[in-house]
């Protein structure tokens, strides 16, 4: 018996791609929406640009969707523009599904709920551990705009909702703009090939402070659980692995996995976006030497996003007591999540 018909919005991303595969394996009929959709792993492709309202209506016409899982976003030059574009995308989606009797919609945002938007990053200064009940940080934030559209539409159309707030998702994905796991694997592979030490690119605060992360399959499990558990409806949940760590230990363990010389953390950040300027040719040479499947490093590494995460000057730890109280108790060791990803990247010839 099928559990329902899920529309995964952003089905080619790190969150949506892993969620779509998980839901298929879990017994759902899954439609995967993206701008350039392709059928794989049992996911039925739906290709459209959510900024085009008429194209979205045409693409979704007649689909028997029961659950929406919204895992996408679009970046613009400033946060006001982010708010405008991202809220328009969600409004266009729900307008296209206006005649469908939706049961539930899930929204994935993240820790910028507590830290502030990209252009006001860290402005919130909310004390850790971050709790779902914290007030919104002043200023524009497209996460808040998406929440507001979700809440308004759910009330008007009568479906349940959940918001999920992961922190730096680890998982398998290619061509994704927010992918620390693959970015660090590529960086480590470059250090190995060039003989350079494995230098932490971020701040002393991140090197020494406690932090946490989210495995993509932990997030997928929580999203399915919340969408199908009546008592969990209409709630926001932090979503992290359940352990905490310090980068000064994790960095050494990642370096040891790749057999690298591990440098001390510099006094000032050494951003990857700067370190990796002109590295394209080096990666092409590495790819050719090891017969790798992707010679274009820009399709694998997101230097800017990893810099943003590792360059913070405040501790980031998320409280998961609420999720556990509501009944979700899945756990994942972050170190194992990294190593399992690295093993897969090697097996699939994405890194040497």
């Amino acid at each position: 018996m099928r559990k329902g018909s899920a529309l995964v919005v952003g089905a080619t991303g790190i969150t949506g791609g892993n969620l779509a595969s998980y839901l298929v394996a879990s017994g759902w009929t899954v439609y995967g929406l993206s701008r350039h959709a392709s059928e794989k792993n049992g996911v039925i492709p739906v290709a459209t640009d959510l900024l085009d309202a008429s194209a979205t209506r045409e693409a979704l016409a007649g689909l028997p969707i029961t659950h929406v899982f919204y895992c996408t976003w679009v970046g613009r030059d400033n946060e006001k523009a982010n708010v405008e574009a991202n809220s328009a995308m969600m409004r266009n989606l729900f307008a296209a599904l206006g005649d469908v009797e939706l049961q539930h919609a899930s929204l994935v945002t993240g820790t910028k709920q507590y830290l502030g938007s990209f252009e006001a990053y860290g402005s919130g200064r909310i004390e850790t551990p971050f709790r779902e009940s914290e007030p919104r940080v002043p200023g524009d934030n497209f996460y808040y705009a998406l929440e507001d559209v979700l809440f308004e539409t759910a009330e008007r159309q009568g479906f349940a909702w959940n918001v999920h707030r992961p922190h730096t998702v680890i998982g398998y994905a290619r061509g994704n703009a927010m992918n620390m796991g693959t970015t660090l694997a590529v960086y480590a592979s470059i250090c190995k090939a060039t003989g350079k030490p494995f230098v932490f690119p971020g701040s002393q605060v991140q090197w020494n402070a406690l932090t946490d992360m989210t495995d993509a399959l932990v997030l997928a499990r929580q999203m399915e659980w919340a969408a199908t558990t009546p008592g969990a409806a209409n709630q926001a949940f932090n979503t992290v692995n359940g352990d905490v760590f310090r980068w000064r230990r994790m960095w050494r363990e990642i370096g040891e996995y790749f057999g690298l010389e591990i440098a001390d953390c510099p006094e000032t950040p050494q951003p990857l976006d700067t370190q990796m300027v002109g590295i394209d040719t080096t990666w092409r040479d590495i790819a050719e030497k090891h017969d790798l499947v992707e010679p274009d490093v820009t399709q694998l590494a997101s230097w800017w996003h990893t810099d943003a995460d590792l360059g913070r000057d405040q501790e980031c730890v998320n409280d998961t007591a609420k999720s556990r109280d509501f009944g979700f108790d899945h756990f994942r060791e972050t170190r194992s999540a990294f190593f399992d990803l690295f093993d897969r990247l090697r097996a699939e010839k994405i890194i040497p």
Side-chain angles (χ1 to χ4, degrees):
M1 180 179 295
R2 308 305 287 178
K3 292 184 177 180
S5 294
L7 177 67
V8 177
V9 183
T12 58
I14 188 170
T15 296
N18 283 279
L19 172 65
S21 296
Y22 174 80
L23 292 177
V24 168
S26 187
W28 293 71
T29 298
V30 180
Y31 296 88
L33 187 152
S34 60
R35 278 174 294 190
H36 305 289
S38 59
E39 186 171 1
K40 65 176 184 178
N41 300 327
V43 178
I44 303 166
V46 179
T48 192
D49 181 351
L50 289 177
L51 287 169
D52 186 329
S54 61
T56 300
R57 285 195 301 272
E58 182 177 349
L60 296 177
L63 298 186
I65 305 301
T66 60
H67 293 69
V68 169
F69 297 91
Y70 197 92
C71 313
T72 193
W73 72 289
V74 65
R76 292 293 185 258
D77 291 338
N78 57 67
E79 197 61 19
K80 285 187 180 298
N82 282 340
V83 167
E84 181 179 352
N86 285 278
S87 57
M89 287 167 60
M90 183 177 272
R91 289 187 190 280
N92 289 342
L93 173 74
F94 284 127
L97 295 172
D99 295 332
V100 176
E101 292 186 8
L102 288 180
Q103 298 176 23
H104 189 279
S106 303
L107 166 64
V108 178
T109 59
T111 308
K112 287 191 292 297
Q113 174 81 20
Y114 312 112
L115 294 170
S117 67
F118 281 125
E119 63 186 36
Y121 211 45
S123 62
R125 295 297 170 184
I126 294 174
E127 187 175 35
T128 56
F130 302 140
R131 296 188 179 124
E132 294 91 338
S133 58
E134 300 289 354
R136 290 178 173 182
V137 176
D140 291 320
N141 190 324
F142 78 86
Y143 284 180
Y144 306 157
L146 289 176
E147 283 190 342
D148 290 342
V149 174
L150 175 66
F151 301 156
E152 293 166 7
T153 310
E155 184 175 4
R156 184 174 63 251
Q157 296 182 204
F159 57 78
W161 57 266
N162 285 107
V163 177
H164 300 267
R165 298 171 183 167
H167 179 203
T168 309
V169 179
I170 312 169
Y172 179 81
R174 289 172 60 184
N176 182 260
M178 302 174 75
N179 192 338
M180 179 189 283
T182 302
T183 297
L184 293 184
V186 170
Y187 173 49
S189 299
I190 290 169
C191 290
K192 183 77 171 180
T194 59
K196 294 181 179 179
F198 192 47
V199 178
F200 184 72
S203 69
Q204 285 277 339
V205 172
Q206 285 305 297
W207 181 254
N208 292 305
L210 289 171
T211 192
D212 51 27
M213 296 184 75
T214 306
D215 183 273
L217 291 179
V218 171
L219 177 55
R221 286 173 181 268
Q222 192 197 60
M223 292 180 76
E224 183 192 35
W225 162 80
T228 56
T229 302
N234 304 333
Q235 299 290 331
F237 293 112
N238 290 336
T239 317
V240 288
N241 290 337
D243 62 346
V244 294
F245 65 92
R246 301 182 200 276
W247 273 110
R248 66 191 187 206
R249 175 182 290 180
M250 185 70 75
W251 195 257
R252 291 188 175 93
E253 290 172 336
I254 292 174
E256 289 168 359
Y257 175 97
F258 287 97
L260 295 171
E261 175 190 348
I262 300 135
D264 290 333
C265 179
E267 289 296 322
T268 56
Q270 307 291 316
L272 291 173
D273 214 22
T274 301
Q275 288 191 53
M276 295 294 105
V277 169
I279 206 67
D280 302 48
T281 300
T282 300
W283 183 256
R284 287 187 183 278
D285 291 342
I286 293 170
E288 182 177 0
K289 178 180 178 180
H290 295 279
D291 193 28
L292 303 183
V293 298
E294 182 52 77
D296 184 356
V297 73
T298 65
Q299 295 301 306
L300 299 174
S302 50
W303 311 123
W304 66 273
H305 180 256
T306 297
D307 285 339
D309 274 356
L310 299 183
R312 299 175 186 142
D313 63 354
Q314 69 179 98
E315 182 180 77
C316 295
V317 176
N318 291 268
D319 191 314
T320 57
K322 179 181 177 181
S323 182
R324 292 195 301 271
D325 284 346
F326 273 78
F328 182 77
D329 58 4
H330 190 69
F331 172 90
R332 183 79 161 98
E333 186 198 29
T334 301
R335 179 178 57 176
S336 296
F338 270 123
F339 292 173
D340 287 351
L341 172 62
F342 299 157
D343 287 347
R344 180 174 179 182
L345 294 174
R346 278 182 165 169
E348 298 194 10
K349 302 289 286 183
I350 292 171
I351 62 172

